[in-house]
Amino acid sequence: DAFGEECSPNAKLWRIYMNEAQILDNAMTKDLSENADVLLVFSGLFSAVVTAFVAMTSQNLQMEYAPITAELMFKMVQLQRAALDGSDSASVQPSSWTPASSFLPSKVVGEYPF
């Protein structure tokens, strides 16, 4: 290149730079493409495992009616005993269960906390 035109738009420097940049860009694009393939395979396997786990465990998220029934029956017996003894029914503590109680799934179906 002529003196003073080393950095002009048509200088040899820019052609060399563009060739080197193209080689590096191609290598980087190839590496990123291979990494993206690995990430896609991993995310597909991960979502499959999570889906299987959720499908298997969601079946156990059911309301356990047996403890509620047992507690209410116990309160009914207490009320009947209070009525037979002639004591006031207000002396029997109310049940902790109400229709507005929050849903708490059990860990294992058929295993009761009492």
Side-chain angles (χ1 to χ4, degrees), residues 7-21:
C7 292
S8 67
N10 295 326
K12 184 178 180 182
L13 168 74
W14 298 119
R15 286 191 300 273
I16 295 171
Y17 172 80
M18 290 302 291
N19 288 337
E20 291 297 320

Side-chain angles (χ1 to χ4, degrees), residues 62-71 97 112:
Q62 302 170 9
M63 186 73 162
E64 293 256 0
Y65 293 106
I68 296 167
T69 303
E71 182 181 349
W97 184 84
Y112 305 115

Side-chain angles (χ1 to χ4, degrees), residues 3-91:
F3 181 73
E5 293 183 9
E6 293 89 0
C7 292
S8 67
N10 295 326
K12 184 178 180 182
L13 168 74
W14 298 119
R15 286 191 300 273
I16 295 171
Y17 172 80
M18 290 302 291
N19 288 337
E20 291 297 320
Q22 185 67 37
I23 292 169
L24 291 174
D25 286 347
N26 288 341
M28 185 172 61
T29 304
K30 181 182 175 190
D31 288 345
L32 290 176
S33 175
E34 290 171 359
N35 287 341
D37 290 343
V38 170
L39 287 174
L40 287 173
V41 168
F42 174 76
S43 63
L45 291 173
F46 179 77
S47 67
V49 168
V50 169
T51 302
F53 176 74
V54 169
M56 295 302 292
T57 57
S58 66
Q59 296 169 0
N60 292 334
L61 298 178
Q62 302 170 9
M63 186 73 162
E64 293 256 0
Y65 293 106
I68 296 167
T69 303
E71 182 181 349
L72 293 176
M73 287 179 67
F74 179 71
K75 295 300 178 181
M76 287 173 48
V77 169
Q78 284 182 325
L79 287 170
Q80 289 173 352
R81 284 184 180 165
L84 286 175
D85 292 343
S87 58
D88 188 19
S89 63
S91 65

